[in-house]
Structure formats: C-alpha cells, structure tokens
C-alpha cells in the first residue's frame, strides 16, 4: 500500500501488549488487524477486548496481506526469530527491546531488512514522549550551556515482587541492564549520539529469587545475569556519563541529571512519556520547572512514527540502527565488566531529530 492507514499486527499477547493495544487502537493512521500468540486463546482474548478483527498463530497473522508492520512483543529470546520471520513474509518489523540478544543477531536483522527493502524499528519509544522531547529541546536551546557530564540511575528491589512470571527478566538478554537499561541508554544516545568507550563493573546479589505475586507466588527461580551494573560511558561528541542499573536496592531511584557549564537539567524518568523537567543554574537555590510539551500517548508512538515515515519516505526515529547501537553498548558494558577493562565501541548511531511542533498521534494524516 502507498496511502491510507498502515496495517499492524501484534505478535505476543503478554503483559506489555495491553499498553500497545490501548494506544495503537486510538491512532487513526494505523489499523490493528491481528494479534498472534503461541497461546491462540490468549491472542483471541486480547483481540476481542480491543476489537481487533483477527487472531491466531504467528504464521496465520503473517499471511494477512494488509499487515504492513509486525509489532514483535515476544520475550527477548524470541525477538530475532520472530523479526526474521516477519521480514521473510515481506513485513516491516517493530520490536520490543532489546532488538536481539546479541549484536550479531541484531546486525543480521538489519541486513535482512535492508536486502528486502524493509524497515526495522525498536522500542523504547519513550524518548518520543513530551518529557524527553522537551528535554532535548532544552539542551539544544542551551538551557544548561554545554553538557559536561551525566548521572543516570535506575535501581530498586527487582520485578519479582509484582510480575507474575518474572523468570525471563533474570535470564540472559534481560536483567536490569538489558530490561531497564534501554530506556536510559536510548534517551542518552538520542540526545548525544554514539558512545565510543566503556568501562564497567557488575555483581549478582542473590543466586535465587522468589516470585511475590500471582499463581506462582512463593516459587523460587535461578538468577542467570548480573543484577547490579555500573558503567562509565564516553560519548563521541558530548559528555561522559556514569550509569547504574540495579535490581538489588531496597530504595527505588530513577533519575537522569545532565550537568552543563551553566547549570543542571533533571530529566523525567525515561520509562515514562511525561515530565517533570527541572533546571537549576549556578547561584540558584532551588529547581525551576520547565514547560513540558508534546504527546504522552504511550507505547506505540514509535510504531506510529514508523508508519507515517513508511508513507512519506522519511526516516523513522525509533530505528533499528539506534537500537543496534544500544544493543552493542549493553553488550560492551557486559564484556567490560567481565574483563575488568576499558573497551571501545565502534558502531555509530543515527541522528534523532526532535518531533515537529504539533506532532499529534490523534490526527489522521494518512489518507
């Protein structure tokens, strides 16, 4: 198709699918046509709840001609396989983070898409929300002068207390770095461009965790990855950053602060789409609120931006190339921690322009 709303299908009807379906079903420039899942009954239940016309297994959904974008919401271990299947079926693919478990798999996905003339997009798209878009505009306008350093922290007790099936969040391809890290690292790369050098340390507090809610409450499971990671990052064209990703803290803390030559900017939680956004200049005794403007439509904004870009021929912002750099960055952090050394990062990342004023998910722009 070359005009009109873009047909979308979701693969994976788990916890995160409700957020995507809630948002995508309100965007007039996309049409959610199908939901697929290994559990076909779960797919049908999701489709019925949101008025989606079709549901079934992956193969049946990929065979629907009107589906142009496959939104891949499977567990991280299945991301590459499902993305490849979608591309082979002639569909663009937008996946949950991370793009794949390993950089080689991510590179293969991008190569397959390029050969087929198809697009790859990837979460997180929270950096398209009003909070982080307003932060990008504030940095560009010189609100804190020249950025010098960044402090980024996400820490808490871990998701096993609330998630009914948290085991995969403590397996290879997840943990605090790969599960929560993409929100922080994508926001920073979108602001400052690629990272060129990394050092890190990592620890695991407990070898087992206990599920705290749902039908499996009280069940213990093995932890396979580090649950506390600290990294030092040097951006090629910007500041340095210290970043902490932890499931081992009794005190929840989520923050990004950018220190500049003229002051400090406090960004919103990058796992959200809204504010607050605050600044404190030298000589000022308190934070000042900055205006936050833009959309807070939620997960799926990256899919919408990609859909509109497919029709216009423009570049989409939550791109596979951006996700690939973040994947390589996380893998390099992991390797640097294991080896106890400073490692270079060779890959680049695309420039991510801010959304234009008035960008409205609720507007029908594709006719």
């Amino acid at each position: 198709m070359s005009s009109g709303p873009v047909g979308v299908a979701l693969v994976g009807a788990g916890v995160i699918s409700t957020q995507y379906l809630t948002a995508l079903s309100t965007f007039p420039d996309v049409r959610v046509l199908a939901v697929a899942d290994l559990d076909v009954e779960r797919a049908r239940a999701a489709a019925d709840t949101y008025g989606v016309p079709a549901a079934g297994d992956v193969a049946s959904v990929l065979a629907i001609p009107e589906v142009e974008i496959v939104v891949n919401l499977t567990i991280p271990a299945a991301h590459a396989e499902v993305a490849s299947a979608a591309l082979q079926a002639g569909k663009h693919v937008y996946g949950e983070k991370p793009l794949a478990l390993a950089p080689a798999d991510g590179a293969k996905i991008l190569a397959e898409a390029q050969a087929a003339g198809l697009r790859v997009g990837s979460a997180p798209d929270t950096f398209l929300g009003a909070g982080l878009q307003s932060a990008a505009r504030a940095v560009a306008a010189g609100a804190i002068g020249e950025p010098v350093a960044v402090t980024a922290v996400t820490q808490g007790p871990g998701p096993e207390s609330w998630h009914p099936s948290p085991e995969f969040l403590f397996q290879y391809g997840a943990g605090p770095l790969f599960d929560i890290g993409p929100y922080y690292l994508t926001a920073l790369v979108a602001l400052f461009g690629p990272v060129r050098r990394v050092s890190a340390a990592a620890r695991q507090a407990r070898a087992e965790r206990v599920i705290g809610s749902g039908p499996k409450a009280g069940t213990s499971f093995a932890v396979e990855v580090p649950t506390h990671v600290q990294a030092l990052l040097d951006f090629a064209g910007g500041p340095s950053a210290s970043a902490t990703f932890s499931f081992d803290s009794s005190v929840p803390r989520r923050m990004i602060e950018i220190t500049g030559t003229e002051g400090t900017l406090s960004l919103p939680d990058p796992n959200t789409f809204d504010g607050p956004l605050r600044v404190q200049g030298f000589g000022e005794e308190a934070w000042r609120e900055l205006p936050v403007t833009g959309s807070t439509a939620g997960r799926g904004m990256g899919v919408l931006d990609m859909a509109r870009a497919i029709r216009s021929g423009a570049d989409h912002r939550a791109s596979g190339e951006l996700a690939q750099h973040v994947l390589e960055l996380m893998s390099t952090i992991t390797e640097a921690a294991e080896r106890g050394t400073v490692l270079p990062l060779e890959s680049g990342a695309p420039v991510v322009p801010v959304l234009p004023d008035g960008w409205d998910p609720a507007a029908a722009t594709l006719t």
Side-chain angles (χ1 to χ4, degrees), residues 19-20 23-24 27 94 125 273 298-305 359:
Q19 296 186 44
Y20 277 89
L24 290 173
F27 300 162
Y94 180 99
D125 57 0
F273 290 85
R299 301 187 198 282
M301 288 175 61
V303 178
L304 175 62
D305 181 57
W359 192 87

Side-chain angles (χ1 to χ4, degrees), residues 7-253:
V8 171
L10 274 63
V11 174
V15 173
I16 196 66
S17 68
T18 59
Q19 296 186 44
Y20 277 89
L21 287 165
T22 298
L24 290 173
S25 62
T26 68
F27 300 162
D29 282 344
V30 301
R31 293 183 300 151
V32 183
L33 300 176
V35 180
D37 196 275
L38 291 174
D39 183 344
V40 174
E41 290 305 313
R42 184 165 72 166
R44 288 179 179 142
D48 289 344
T49 299
Y50 290 91
V52 177
D57 60 18
V58 175
S60 65
V61 165
L62 293 183
I64 298 173
E66 294 80 10
V67 169
E68 297 177 70
I69 300 176
V70 170
V71 180
N72 181 5
L73 306 181
T74 56
I75 62 173
H79 284 181
E81 179 183 357
V82 172
S84 182
L87 293 168
Q88 290 174 23
K91 316 297 186 183
H92 308 284
V93 62
Y94 180 99
E96 252 303 322
K97 45 74 183 169
L99 178 63
L101 291 185
D105 294 328
K108 182 180 178 183
I109 292 170
L110 296 182
E112 289 178 353
Q114 183 177 26
L118 296 167
R119 294 180 184 241
V120 175
S122 179
D125 57 0
T126 46
F127 72 95
L128 300 177
L132 293 177
Q133 288 288 295
S134 297
R137 289 191 290 268
V139 170
I144 55 171
E146 187 71 20
V148 174
V150 176
T151 302
V153 177
T154 174
Q155 64 181 45
E160 75 274 17
S161 63
W162 58 268
H163 198 293
S165 296
E167 297 93 331
F168 77 97
L169 294 170
F170 293 83
Q171 295 171 352
Y172 178 65
L177 176 59
F178 279 76
D179 182 47
I180 305 299
Y183 298 106
Y184 289 75
L185 297 173
T186 302
L188 295 179
V189 172
L191 277 171
F192 301 120
V195 173
R196 288 302 185 209
R197 187 171 60 175
V198 170
S199 59
R203 298 289 185 272
Q204 185 188 98
R206 300 187 296 280
E208 290 187 345
R209 300 252 175 163
V210 178
I211 300 174
S213 66
K216 296 189 288 185
T219 304
S220 63
F221 61 92
V223 177
E224 300 177 1
V225 293
T227 49
H228 185 93
V229 180
Q230 292 176 288
L232 294 176
L233 316 174
D234 284 332
F235 290 86
S240 60
S242 63
T244 300
F245 312 97
S246 182
F247 285 166
D248 292 338
S249 174
S250 61
V251 179
R253 186 175 290 117

